[in-house]
Amino acid sequence: MQDQSTDHTPATPVPAATVMLLRDGADGLEVFMVTRHPAMWFSSALVYPGGKLDSSDTDPRLIKLCRGTSGLATDQMALRICAIRETFEESGILLARERDSDAIVNGDRGAQLEQRYRARIHAGEISLYDMAAAENLTLADDHLVPFAHWITPKEFPRRFDTHFYL
């Protein structure tokens, strides 16, 4: 007789976003990847920066700091914000601009922001909005090009509904 108390309902997929950072290299296209921390799920794997949606990613004040993507639904904006936040948390690369500029923050400015804010955002001490407002930044969400949308199969215990951006 089967155990009727075991629930075999698949887990609801968690919304997530991932960024595949690309550039032209000397020998062709180069893709940026990070190594997962040994204590994390899929430890030591090479992955694209990204992760699950956080409640702060839906902050209307942060959505107002996005450029060039007006007309997108709030959930689509939140996924792009998630992609930017997770990329910064996991790699220190910030897809943002000074408020009065069209250029993405350069390496020196990015390193300065990383040193000052990355660990605090990752720890949940402050939000991406707090940093952007304090540093007069807008998010470069308009540079994110939707590439793929994958949902982890039902048979997996941890499931993600992941949007991939180039």
Side-chain angles (χ1 to χ4, degrees), residues 5 11 18 22 88 90 96 99 109 115 121 138 149:
S5 65
T18 296
L22 308 171
F88 184 61
E90 291 188 5
R99 193 176 301 245
R109 176 77 162 127
Q115 183 177 14
I121 291 172
T138 60
H149 178 200

Side-chain angles (χ1 to χ4, degrees), residues 143-164:
H143 277 263
L144 298 178
V145 177
F147 175 70
H149 178 200
W150 292 359
I151 299 175
T152 310
K154 292 179 181 177
E155 57 270 10
F156 286 82
R158 294 179 72 180
R159 298 185 64 217
F160 297 93
D161 180 350
T162 306
H163 292 256
F164 290 80

Side-chain angles (χ1 to χ4, degrees), residues 44-94:
S44 301
L46 285 173
V47 297
Y48 304 113
K52 64 184 178 176
L53 189 71
D54 183 270
S55 60
S56 68
D57 299 329
T58 61
D59 184 336
R61 299 172 304 165
L62 192 53
I63 291 172
K64 288 180 183 177
L65 295 180
C66 294
R67 284 190 176 180
T69 52
S70 62
L72 286 179
T74 301
D75 62 330
Q76 292 300 308
M77 292 299 303
L79 285 165
R80 289 168 188 258
I81 291 167
C82 171
I84 291 169
R85 178 186 50 76
E86 285 285 343
T87 299
F88 184 61
E89 286 181 11
E90 291 188 5
S91 69
I93 295 172
L94 181 61

